[in-house]
Amino acid sequence: MPSTLFHILLLLLMPPLLLGVINKTKAAFAGRVGAPCLQPYYDLAKLLRKGSVFSSTTTWVFRAGPVVTLAATLVAALLVPLGNHPAIISFNGDMILFAYLFGLARFFTTSAALDTGSAFEGMGAAREVTFACLVEPTLFFILITLARMSKSLSLTPMLLYPSPAVWGEAGAAMLLLVGALFIALLAENCRIPFDDPTTHLELTMIHEVMVLDHSGPAFGLILYGAALKLFVLGAVFVNLALPFKSGNLLVDWAAFAAAMLFLAVLVGVVESVMARLRLVRIPQLLVAATILSAFAMLLIVR
């Protein structure tokens, strides 16, 4: 019971901190003090206190978009083990539900953008689904490879299977998986070099352009859902790349939290030393990630 309670608290409270650490790291690289790491929590609290404004041209789809997206991401988060601790919900085949939940979230986000009737948001929705078509094969290759290695279709045994011994036996395949997953993590969360969450240049925006008409609590749900998605995919990455298992409850939780913060710093470093890619270059990097994950699968099944 204490482990489950800590699991839920970490899942609900930690995601905005990752965004704060990323922004703090970028500020440090730029020689600025930057906003405090807790700034995303203040922003969410401010948005939840505000009222919402809805255009008369929108329908229930626009209002349901942020709610359904957050709900789908939250259920997907319950399927993922955190560190050395099993997921709260686990059954054989839950990796398929995990993939479909992310697909459902993306469907409602893009539908809400299209519901505004704005050509500008429609452009962002088209870019979102186009790049998603190139990211999803990478995620499926990674899941299939892990399923093959663990001989299970459930995320808990799949993500708890990696260990230092597995890295010793299949280090090349694991390295390819981690590289492909990190690229997919940046693309799925609209981070540099694929997208810049702070940009408002209309010719380069992808995800941000889809949520420009949301305000108040609805926009807060979108921001929190984005942070939760980063946390979920980050947990998958940490389980693969840093499979630390001590057997001590508190030590394992502390190690997982530290690994997540390290991942946030790593994302901040990447965003500080890299420029955003031109739109025509993004498919090339996403295809490269798919090839990496496909090679990893070939190394495992050969």
Side-chain angles (χ1 to χ4, degrees):
M1 179 61 79
S3 179
T4 303
L5 182 62
F6 199 79
H7 191 121
I8 295 174
L9 289 176
L10 200 65
L11 192 64
L12 295 177
L13 299 179
M14 191 174 186
L17 180 62
L18 299 181
L19 299 180
V21 172
I22 292 173
N23 292 333
K24 196 70 174 178
T25 304
K26 292 167 67 176
F29 267 80
R32 298 182 285 107
V33 175
C37 292
L38 300 181
Q39 186 63 44
Y41 295 97
Y42 304 145
D43 294 340
L44 288 173
K46 181 178 67 176
L47 288 170
L48 293 178
R49 289 197 301 269
K50 289 188 172 182
S52 295
V53 177
F54 297 105
S55 168
S56 59
T57 64
T58 58
T59 66
W60 65 271
V61 175
F62 183 78
R63 293 169 173 78
V67 178
V68 175
T69 300
L70 177 59
T73 308
L74 189 58
V75 175
L78 298 177
L79 299 174
V80 176
L82 303 183
N84 196 26
H85 306 278
I88 295 176
I89 302 175
S90 178
F91 54 89
N92 196 26
D94 59 8
M95 74 171 220
I96 299 173
L97 176 62
F98 179 78
Y100 272 93
L101 285 170
F102 275 117
L104 178 67
R106 178 174 287 111
F107 173 78
F108 267 88
T109 301
T110 53
S111 296
L114 293 172
D115 192 55
T116 61
S118 166
F120 190 32
E121 298 196 26
M123 176 197 70
R127 289 177 176 177
E128 171 79 9
V129 296
T130 300
F131 295 141
C133 291
L134 299 174
V135 177
E136 286 172 359
T138 302
L139 295 176
F140 274 110
F141 274 130
I142 292 171
L143 291 177
I144 292 171
T145 306
L146 291 174
R148 169 73 177 180
M149 295 173 71
S150 62
K151 297 180 174 52
S152 173
L153 294 177
S154 176
L155 286 175
T156 294
M158 286 167 57
L159 297 177
L160 294 183
Y161 178 78
S163 65
V166 173
W167 270 88
E169 295 173 1
M174 292 297 292
L175 198 59
L176 293 174
L177 285 179
V178 168
L181 181 58
F182 187 68
I183 295 173
L185 182 147
L186 294 177
E188 278 287 318
N189 290 283
C190 306
R191 311 301 306 191
I192 293 175
F194 300 99
D195 194 7
D196 186 353
T198 62
T199 185
H200 287 87
L201 297 175
E202 61 185 50
L203 294 180
T204 62
M205 296 166 69
I206 300 176
H207 183 266
E208 289 301 308
V209 67
M210 294 191 298
V211 299
L212 283 180
D213 280 355
H214 288 283
S215 61
F219 188 55
L221 294 181
I222 291 173
L223 292 182
Y224 182 72
L228 188 60
K229 186 177 183 180
L230 175 63
F231 181 86
V232 172
L233 292 179
V236 174
F237 178 84
V238 166
N239 279 324
L240 259 66
L242 304 169
F244 176 78
K245 299 177 179 65
S246 71
N248 183 290
L249 183 69
L250 294 178
V251 172
D252 284 345
W253 278 121
F256 173 75
M260 291 297 292
L261 294 177
F262 172 75
L263 174 63
V265 172
L266 182 62
V267 172
V269 171
V270 170
E271 296 195 358
S272 299
V273 301
M274 288 190 68
R276 188 183 181 283
L277 292 175
R278 295 170 56 194
L279 283 176
V280 294
R281 298 291 184 190
I282 291 177
Q284 297 174 3
L285 186 55
L286 295 178
V287 170
T290 303
I291 293 173
L292 289 179
S293 57
F295 271 122
M297 187 179 69
L298 289 175
L299 288 175
I300 295 301
V301 301
R302 66 187 170 87

